Amino acid sequence: MSEIKLIKPTLKYANDIMEYRQQFLDAGDSLDGCGGLKECSTAEEWIHEINMAEKEETCPKDKVCSNIFIAVREKDDRIVGVIDFRHHIDHPILSVWGGHIGYSVHPLERRKGYATEMLRQNLINCKQFGLNKVLIICDAKNIGSKKTIIANGGIFEKEIIVDGERIERYWVEF
């Protein structure tokens, strides 16, 4: 696997960001960890929104402060994934089935180890931010996500049902 780095999205990646979005829309897949990218019509709009969400003073009242990173493959400077971390989960949805971290991997880049490396790097960000443990959830049927979480120290807590779907909760402690 090529090495990746997590970086804050910038306009340098505007075309890649919108291509990433379109791949998910075309596949009917969810844009987990992408902080509203689905609803944005331009990369500029998305970058502005995620920058606003980083600070309590500018974060929309119905949201939780978060940081979003794009995972860029170093050899060709292409986006292979997007991952976020929420500063806290003191929120009715996040504390039950949203968790601290959400992520997605480009549909054409899956099963290459990127999710595991993205999560590993983002857990470092969480620890540096001051969190001492994080909640990560996944659909019970998503074997790849489950393996990614466990590979990064995730300890299964319990399974819950949300809208008829089985969701698994994992904790990673630092």
Side-chain angles (χ1 to χ4, degrees), residues 109 124 149 173:
E109 301 294 347
I124 294 168
I149 296 166
E173 293 189 39

Side-chain angles (χ1 to χ4, degrees), residues 2-154:
S2 300
E3 292 199 18
I4 60 169
K5 59 185 174 185
L6 298 185
I7 61 173
K8 283 185 61 159
T10 65
L11 290 179
K12 171 185 174 183
Y13 295 97
N15 290 336
D16 279 357
I17 290 166
M18 296 313 290
E19 186 272 336
Y20 187 90
R21 175 186 179 271
Q22 195 60 50
Q23 283 286 327
F24 278 81
L25 294 177
D26 291 348
D29 206 345
S30 68
L31 284 154
D32 293 336
C34 293
L37 178 57
K38 183 177 183 177
E39 292 79 26
C40 292
S41 58
T42 66
E44 293 87 352
E45 177 186 1
W46 182 61
I47 291 167
H48 174 74
E49 284 189 19
I50 63 175
N51 285 339
M52 297 296 284
E54 288 183 358
K55 296 182 181 84
E56 197 70 43
E57 317 75 74
T58 55
C59 185
K61 298 299 177 214
D62 61 332
K63 305 279 185 192
V64 169
C65 291
S66 64
N67 291 81
I68 293 181
F69 302 94
I70 53 176
V72 176
R73 185 172 42 218
E74 292 187 45
K75 78 174 182 183
D76 62 1
D77 205 33
R78 299 282 299 173
I79 297 174
V80 298
V82 178
I83 192 165
D84 72 353
F85 85 83
R86 299 163 191 118
H87 298 181
H88 64 83
I89 56 172
D90 184 19
H91 182 278
I93 293 173
L94 298 178
S95 64
V96 177
W97 60 271
H100 285 94
I101 295 175
Y103 56 90
S104 58
V105 175
H106 192 292
L108 301 176
E109 301 294 347
R110 293 180 178 157
R111 293 188 162 95
K112 297 179 181 178
Y114 293 128
T116 301
E117 180 59 16
M118 288 166 51
L119 183 54
R120 185 192 73 76
Q121 290 183 31
N122 203 33
L123 288 170
I124 294 168
N125 292 333
C126 292
K127 186 176 181 180
Q128 290 173 341
F129 183 78
L131 299 176
N132 58 9
K133 69 179 185 174
V134 295
L135 174 64
I136 309 172
I137 62 98
C138 68
D139 185 305
K141 297 178 206 166
N142 190 336
I143 304 302
S145 217
K146 191 181 309 194
K147 288 180 177 179
T148 293
I149 296 166
I150 292 169
N152 277 284

